[in-house]
Amino acid sequence: MSADAVVVGSGPNGLVAAVLLAQAGREVLLLEAADQFGGGLRSAEVTLPGRVHDLGATVMAMALASPAFRELGISGSGPKEPGLHGGESRGGESRGGEFGSVEFVHPAVVAAHPLDDRPAVLVHRDARRTAAGLGRDAAVWERTVGAAARAGLPLVDLLLKPLGPWEPRPRVFAQAARFGVAAALPVTTLGRRAFRTVEGRAVLAGMAAHSMLDLRSPMTSGYGLLLAALGHLVGWPVVKGGSQVLADALVARLRALGGEAVTGHRVRHLRELGAETVVLDVTPRQFLTMAELPAGYRRGLERYRYGPGVFKLDWALDGPVPWRDPAVAAAGTVHLGGTLEEIALSEAEMAHGRHSPRPYVLLVQPYAADDSRGGHTLWAYCHVPNGSRVDMTDAIEGQIERFAPGFRDRVLARHAMGPAELEAANPNLVGGDIGGGLASLGQFVRRPVWSPAPWRTPLPGVFLCSAATPPGAAVHGMGGWQAARLALTD
C-alpha cells in the first residue's frame, strides 16, 4: 500500500489517530513492532490455557467518557442518569453501548476499599448511595465527587482537551473552577481538611493513588475526584472477553476504511517512512532515537521525566477471592492499603526510591462483571521506583491476604512482570512507567515540552500522540485525537 499517513504504534492513541485519519479519507498505514496490536490494550493467556488476562488496562471508565471514543461511536450514547442517583448496575450488565464486537460490562459495585477493623467502603454508580455509606462524610462526598459527576461530560471534555477546540460555555467553566479549587490540593490536605471519617479519607486516597505520585503533591486530589466522579457518571466497566477485543475492533474499523495494519514491523528511524504525515505513538525516549531534531526541542525531550514503575501479577484462581468483607466480591476494582495515612506513607516511600513493605495495591477482578475469560482471573500491581528489580510478589500477596485470608490457597498459577519485563513487552513503558511519564504539576503543563500544541513536533508533518502528550495516561485516545486533528488541519 502507498500510504500518505503512517501511524507508528498501536496503543489506544495510535489506533484512534489511525481511524480518524482514515475516516477523513487519508490512506493510512499502521505499523506495530509487537506481534499483537493494542499496546496497553493487549490480552493473552499468561497463566493457564483458556484464561484470558489483560496485560495492560482493564477498567474502561475513560473510554466511555472520552470525546475521542464518543466521536468514533465506541462509547454509545453515553451514561444513563440512574448511575448518578437512583439505580445500580447488576454484575455483568452491558451499558454504555457497543462498537462492532465490543461490549462494555459493569460490575455491581464500581470499586471497594477494604479496611482492617470495619466494613469496606463501597463506591456505587449511585452517588447518593455511596455518600450514605460514608456517614458523617456523606455531605462532603456529594459536594466534591457528586458535584463533579453532576457536571457531566462537558466538564470531562474540558479536562481531557484543555488545549483543543471548545465552545465557550460559562456554566461549564464555573463548574471547572469549583472543581479546580479542590483538585489542585494534595490529597493528604483535602482528605484531612474536608473529610472527617477514616472511611472517607481512605477511599479518596485510594482513588488519588492511581496518579502514581507522592500523595502530598499538588493535584493528587484532582486525580482522585475525577476517577471517583467517573464511577458515578459512566461507571468503571470492562470489555467483555478482554481489552484486546477493543483493540481488534479498532483495527477492523481501520481496515474497513481501506487502511492497512501490520504487526512485527519496528520503525527505527523516520527516514524509513516516506509518508506526508507521520503520527508517533511513542514516548520522548523513543522519538529521540528516531529523528534528527532541532537542538532546543531535543533538550526539552531529554529533560522529560518518567514516573515510577509497577510490579504486576496475574493469577488464575480456583474460585473468587475470599474477602473478609463479602461485599468486596462484587467490585470490579479494589484498592488495598488501608487508611489515608498508610497509603500516603507507601506512596511517599516509592517516590523517594524505596520499596514499601506494605504497598498500595491496585487490584482488578474482571470476573465480577465478565464471565467470559475462562474462569476466575485476577491481576494487581503496586508502585515501585522506576527500573526496580525487586520482586514484590510476597508484598502484594501479603496485602491481599490481609483483607482476604486464605487467598494464596486459591492460586492455581501466577505470572509476574516487573519493570524490565514490562518495558521489554512495550518500549513505551520506560522503567515500568505505565503512565508514559511523571504526572506531576510541571509535566501537566509541559508534556512533553511546553507548547500550545504539544502534539505537533518541529518536523513538518510529524506528530506525537502517546501518553507523553496531554492529557496523559488512560484509555481515552485523546492524544491520538489531537494529533490527527492537527495533521488534518496542517
Side-chain angles (χ1 to χ4, degrees), residues 6-64:
V6 174
V7 177
V8 179
S10 67
N13 286 302
L15 289 169
V16 166
V19 172
L20 289 176
L21 289 170
Q23 284 186 172
R26 304 293 292 275
E27 295 179 332
V28 178
L29 172 62
L30 173 67
L31 299 175
E32 169 57 52
D35 59 3
Q36 192 176 3
F37 294 112
L41 292 175
R42 286 182 290 177
S43 304
E45 299 176 4
V46 295
T47 57
L48 298 175
R51 298 290 185 107
V52 178
H53 298 268
D54 292 328
L55 303 185
T58 296
V59 179
M60 298 289 166
M62 284 290 189
L64 290 194

Side-chain angles (χ1 to χ4, degrees), residues 6-23 28-32 36-42 60 68-69 72 74 99 102 243-255 257 259-263 279-282 428 465-467 475-484:
V6 174
V7 177
V8 179
S10 67
N13 286 302
L15 289 169
V16 166
V19 172
L20 289 176
L21 289 170
Q23 284 186 172
V28 178
L29 172 62
L30 173 67
L31 299 175
E32 169 57 52
Q36 192 176 3
F37 294 112
L41 292 175
R42 286 182 290 177
M60 298 289 166
F69 282 142
L72 292 177
I74 293 174
F99 173 72
V102 182
S243 298
Q244 185 72 51
V245 173
L246 176 56
D248 291 345
L250 286 164
V251 173
R253 169 70 75 87
L254 172 64
R255 287 171 169 161
L257 292 166
E260 183 177 355
V262 179
T263 58
V279 179
L280 302 171
D281 189 358
V282 303
N428 276 6
C465 75
S466 72
V475 181
H476 45 59
M478 289 303 297
W481 184 89
Q482 296 278 21

Side-chain angles (χ1 to χ4, degrees), residues 377-391:
T377 62
L378 186 78
W379 68 253
Y381 64 65
C382 71
H383 303 150
V384 295
N386 190 283
S388 165
R389 296 189 176 274
V390 175
D391 187 334

Side-chain angles (χ1 to χ4, degrees), residues 55-109:
L55 303 185
T58 296
V59 179
M60 298 289 166
M62 284 290 189
L64 290 194
S66 163
F69 282 142
R70 298 203 312 271
E71 182 174 327
L72 292 177
I74 293 174
S75 61
S77 58
K80 298 182 180 180
E81 284 303 315
L84 293 178
H85 294 305
E88 286 298 306
S89 300
R90 298 180 298 277
E93 182 180 352
S94 172
R95 300 177 73 172
E98 297 185 14
F99 173 72
S101 59
V102 182
E103 183 179 355
F104 296 94
V105 289
H106 292 254
V109 175

